Amino acid sequence: MTQDTATPFHDLDRYLEVPRVAGLALSGDGSRLATTVQTLDRERTGWTTAVWEVDPTGAAPARRLTRSRKGESSAAFAASGDLLFTSARPDPDAEPGNKDDDPKTALWLLPAGGGEARVVATAPGGLSGVLAARDADVVSVTAPVMPRAASLTEDGALRKERTDRKVSAVLHAGYPVRFWDHDLGPDEDRRFVASLAPADDARLELRQLTGPGRQLDEHESDLSPDGTTLVTTWTVAEAGAAQRATLVAVDTATGERRTLVDDPDADVYGPAVSADGRWVAYVSETITTPEQAPVLRLGLVPLDGGEAAPEILADDWDRWPTSVAWLPDGSGLVVTADDDGRGPVFLLGFGAGGPGAGEPVVVERVTADDATFTDVRVAPDGAALYALRTSYAAPSAPVRIDLAAFRASGDAGEREPVAATALRGPVAAPTLPGVLTEVETTAPDGARVRAWLALPEGATASDPAPLLLWIHGGPLSSWSAWSWRWNPWLMVARGYAVLLPDPALSTGYGQDFVQRGWGAWGGAPFTDLMAITDAAEALPEVDAARTAAMGGSFGGYMANWVAGHTDRFRAVVTHASLWALDQFGPTTDHAYYWHREMTAEMAQANSPHRFVGDIRTPMLVVHGDKDYRVPVGEGLRLWQELLTRSGLLAADDGSTVHRFLYFPDENHWVLAPQHAKVWYQVVLAFLAEHVLGESPELPDHL
């Protein structure tokens, strides 16, 4: 194969320099779009973000709105058109000599008519979660506050005391105590609200809406268009150190709270308030059992509480909604969902009686693109949608979807999807070093299994490419969107074909497809992976004699399972992986969630550590010490047992074909730019040695 070297995927330093787009905000009048762009900082050791404006018409080029070393995020438009964002950059209005060695994120405002951005609100622990009402000068933010503090002033004093006394201890009275990559406590999130003064330069008066407690951990919220009501998820504690998400409405004038949805059999999240302020749409996820996988559906509840009970919509639609937004006239909902390796936009249309009438609803696919759409925003006239479009062919970029043309093309249920139109975004898509195609096969139980396949340029029957099987995490997820962390094109640039399959437990293929693997991780997920690998290896462009398997998180679990159940691969890379399920279950950050599925019998039957003696494939183990979802004990035990109990034991002198890449200060993901570079360098060297038969090349500083 001949390889072009003109793409950024051929050079890890150039790859890290590619700007990355995330998030989308639309002004109330529909005339402005804002997004953020992440780039390397000057030292090339961290990331910084800036807010950019995108023309919704596609006529004008994107322009940068903010610039600072600390970066900016959480962009939102106020009703006035002013742009709100958060940043820890220095406040130009701060008193001279008042240097803060640990600046916290503040709320900034950039006037719609031009001028300099200014700080409008601060909190001792920083601010986040910016929500702005569409039709009123009301903003809501989240601030972490110490439990005993009655105000932000008291919070500042308590924080200073902890700092001065060098106290880092946290006293917990409930569960959980950590989440993914960070410790919980001692502070707790509270919601605040403020009125945006049109021209006054004074700081906003933040009024507290919620009090002490962990009810707002990882919460999701929305403001009613008139700013009078905050709708938010509200966590309640349950038996067995478990928790469940309910939905509440909080009066922003009085702080009075009332419950909208409290379903003992489900978690609820993703609330969206209708334009007329009468209804709330949300996503409902049933509580799992060892025998039953979750079911995700759209829910509807009146905002005023009323006598109407929450209603489940489109219960016969066999897809899981991932986000929901309202049409301005209330005639329907704009929904995203995984579907066959894509994430299209769908339209859920209400009957003539509108929402709450109890009439059948119709779900239609709106977008024709082979892509996934996120951050969907609806134009105020309902004629267009704006979103970020991504796929394994291109990273996220802003697009416009002509919803008016779609709705005018025929009667509900008979309309054809439309293609999205690219806007002039702030970042050009990088040139790929290969082509993207699809593979599918039939599993032993008759189920259809499909995958993306990224092939290098020049791969032919006479010069086939070695194959890398990449197994996604989750497990309730799909290879449906661009990933900067696990990017197949870096491997394609070095001549590999990369297979991205969706085995049992993957989303986007219906409830039965998830249920096939529920409680039996080593069953259908494994046989699906082997079947789709067989199909890929049968292609003339693929060299079946040179293969490797890789996975992270649940994908790492599957990589470990693969290593103990087949010798077909020359190498296995396992990142942040589950190894001993009886050990993992009680020590992960949300043990109660896994306990719902992982009975003692399930953990015993499906634990990879039981098959360590059958592992005869060289393995690269990767783990971060700050990983709380899959604690580092999993990686440490896997490493020790590989050397002492596997079919490829360490030699008498301690040497081994296995390797352990350990990051003392990384978490479930490897996020620091130079650590990400090291990750790829080590993985590529390990694969080159065992798959290609080449001498590994590692950086000297390792």
Side-chain angles (χ1 to χ4, degrees), residues 443-460:
D445 65 357
R448 169 181 172 263
V449 182
R450 63 156 300 282
W452 295 110
L453 178 64
L455 285 168
E457 295 284 358
T460 63

Side-chain angles (χ1 to χ4, degrees), residues 177 232 271 442 484 554 595 627:
V177 300
T232 182
T442 301
W484 291 103
F554 177 82
H595 180 69
D627 186 348

Side-chain angles (χ1 to χ4, degrees), residues 544-606:
R546 295 185 297 163
T547 62
M550 300 174 58
S553 194
F554 177 82
Y557 160 88
M558 285 307 310
N560 294 338
W561 188 265
V562 165
H565 287 79
T566 178
D567 298 336
R568 68 185 295 173
F569 299 103
R570 290 191 177 188
V572 170
V573 179
T574 179
H575 171 97
S577 65
L578 291 69
W579 174 242
L581 295 190
D582 60 340
Q583 170 182 275
F584 162 80
T587 59
T588 182
D589 57 351
H590 276 33
Y592 70 87
Y593 175 87
W594 299 100
H595 180 69
R596 294 168 178 169
E597 176 186 2
M598 197 180 294
T599 63
E601 295 76 15
M602 181 274 189
Q604 173 68 10
N606 294 276

Side-chain angles (χ1 to χ4, degrees), residues 10 20-21 73 235 379 382 405 429 454 469 473 488 580 618 663:
H10 291 86
R20 307 170 182 192
V21 175
S73 60
T235 299
L469 166 66
F663 292 96

Side-chain angles (χ1 to χ4, degrees), residues 474-491:
L476 303 178
S477 63
S478 168
W479 287 121
S480 59
W482 185 276
S483 170
W484 291 103
R485 270 295 308 121
W486 280 64
N487 194 300
W489 299 110
L490 288 166
M491 307 311 195

Side-chain angles (χ1 to χ4, degrees), residues 56-399:
T57 70
R63 64 188 185 100
R64 187 169 180 169
L65 298 180
T66 65
R67 188 183 302 272
S68 75
R69 295 198 65 177
K70 290 292 184 179
E72 299 82 23
S73 60
S74 302
F77 284 100
S80 62
D82 296 337
L83 181 69
L84 301 167
F85 60 87
T86 58
S87 179
R89 65 187 189 178
D91 179 3
D93 297 325
E95 295 182 7
N98 185 17
K99 181 182 178 182
D100 189 352
D101 294 328
D102 184 25
K104 302 298 183 182
T105 53
L107 181 65
W108 291 69
L109 183 148
L110 182 63
E116 295 293 332
R118 63 182 178 88
V119 175
V120 293
T122 62
L127 296 173
S128 62
V130 181
L131 295 173
R134 190 195 65 186
D135 301 327
D137 288 325
V138 177
V139 62
S140 176
V141 292
T142 298
V145 181
M146 297 291 290
R148 296 183 182 274
S151 66
L152 291 176
T153 300
E154 290 185 18
D155 179 55
L158 290 173
R159 288 175 182 276
K160 184 177 185 304
E161 183 178 359
R162 280 180 64 90
T163 300
D164 292 345
R165 295 177 181 271
K166 300 187 183 303
V167 173
S168 60
V170 181
L171 177 63
H172 289 283
Y175 190 86
V177 300
R178 51 190 191 175
F179 184 74
W180 276 115
D181 60 350
H182 60 276
D183 295 312
L184 298 177
D187 52 18
E188 305 156 340
D189 280 349
R190 301 184 193 178
R191 268 283 167 184
F192 293 78
V193 69
S195 297
L196 289 165
D200 191 358
D201 287 341
R203 298 288 169 87
L204 303 180
E205 179 186 351
L206 294 178
R207 293 184 289 107
Q208 187 170 276
L209 291 180
T210 60
R214 307 225 67 95
Q215 301 91 340
L216 294 182
D217 283 352
E218 310 301 326
H219 69 286
E220 298 180 352
S221 303
D222 193 21
L223 263 182
S224 62
D226 61 6
T228 61
T229 308
L230 173 75
V231 178
T232 182
T233 54
W234 190 265
T235 299
V236 296
E238 294 196 310
Q243 57 181 204
R244 180 171 51 83
T246 65
L247 199 62
V248 303
V250 183
D251 188 302
T252 58
T254 66
E256 179 182 355
R257 185 179 75 251
R258 50 192 170 80
T259 300
L260 296 176
V261 183
D262 185 353
D263 184 348
D265 298 320
D267 285 300
V268 293
Y269 55 91
V273 182
S274 63
D276 61 8
R278 295 179 56 202
W279 300 94
V280 180
Y282 61 93
V283 178
S284 169
E285 179 177 348
T286 60
I287 304 296
T288 62
T289 71
E291 297 78 28
Q292 183 59 54
V295 178
L296 276 69
R297 292 292 181 262
L298 291 168
L300 180 72
V301 66
L303 182 55
D304 64 7
E307 297 182 359
E311 175 187 356
I312 295 298
L313 304 172
D315 196 29
D316 59 347
W317 184 40
D318 197 16
R319 290 295 181 268
W320 287 3
T322 52
S323 72
V324 58
W326 283 88
L327 293 180
D329 61 2
S331 64
L333 299 172
V334 176
V335 185
T336 57
D338 284 344
D339 184 54
D340 209 50
R342 288 90 168 155
V345 175
F346 297 88
L347 178 64
L348 184 151
F350 295 111
E359 299 173 351
V361 298
V362 177
V363 180
E364 303 174 274
R365 178 169 172 166
V366 175
T367 54
D369 310 58
D370 287 332
T372 291
F373 294 85
T374 67
D375 302 270
V376 180
R377 305 290 179 255
V378 185
D381 61 1
L385 307 175
Y386 301 98
L388 296 181
R389 179 178 60 189
T390 179
S391 69
Y392 274 98
S396 291
V399 296

